Amino acid sequence: MANVLVVDDDADVAALVQAVLTSEGHTVAVAGDGARALAEAATLRPDVVVLDWMMPGMTGLDVCRALRADDAYDATRILMLTARSAPSDIETARAAGADDYVVKPFAPRELRRRVSSLIA
């Protein structure tokens, strides 16, 4: 199983993602903003980061770029989990270094499948 960092400023969404992934046996930490996400990542060294795009202050894209700029996170997979659904948004996230992209609202089964595929 994997160490997963969930980053979302919506506590209800973060709790749902945490519950879904914990039920699969993953160790899950939660951060409510971008700055906390980077601090948690430095401690946890997550295998996967499930990252919301739209957060106050440091956005998910900012966090994604910061992680990708640090060689220590080369093996970390990043899944953007966001309400932004335009093809250009997906392209922007991929260009920033996201490995996968899931649009909210999401099906828990789909989230489990996507995270599993990232750690396989």
Side-chain angles (χ1 to χ4, degrees):
M1 296 294 99
N3 285 327
V4 180
L5 176 58
V6 175
V7 185
D8 201 308
D9 61 322
D10 184 324
D12 292 335
V13 172
L16 174 60
V17 173
Q18 182 178 32
V20 167
L21 297 179
T22 300
S23 73
E24 290 294 298
H26 301 299
T27 301
V28 181
V30 175
D33 62 52
R36 284 192 203 125
L38 293 178
E40 283 287 328
T43 302
L44 181 64
R45 296 292 182 194
D47 301 302
V48 177
V49 177
V50 178
L51 185 57
D52 183 27
W53 182 324
M54 296 179 292
M55 297 183 292
M58 183 178 235
T59 69
L61 277 185
D62 296 332
V63 172
C64 187
R65 289 182 184 118
L67 292 173
R68 288 297 174 235
D70 187 335
D71 292 344
Y73 302 102
D74 283 351
T76 300
R77 306 286 57 117
I78 299 173
L79 184 149
M80 295 295 294
L81 179 64
T82 179
R84 297 181 71 126
S85 61
S88 61
D89 294 331
I90 297 169
E91 289 173 20
T92 299
R94 294 273 188 185
D99 297 292
D100 202 353
Y101 197 97
V102 175
V103 176
K104 295 176 186 175
F106 63 94
R109 179 182 304 174
E110 180 68 8
L111 180 64
R112 285 191 293 269
R113 186 183 73 73
R114 297 288 190 92
V115 169
S116 292
S117 72
L118 289 173
I119 59 175

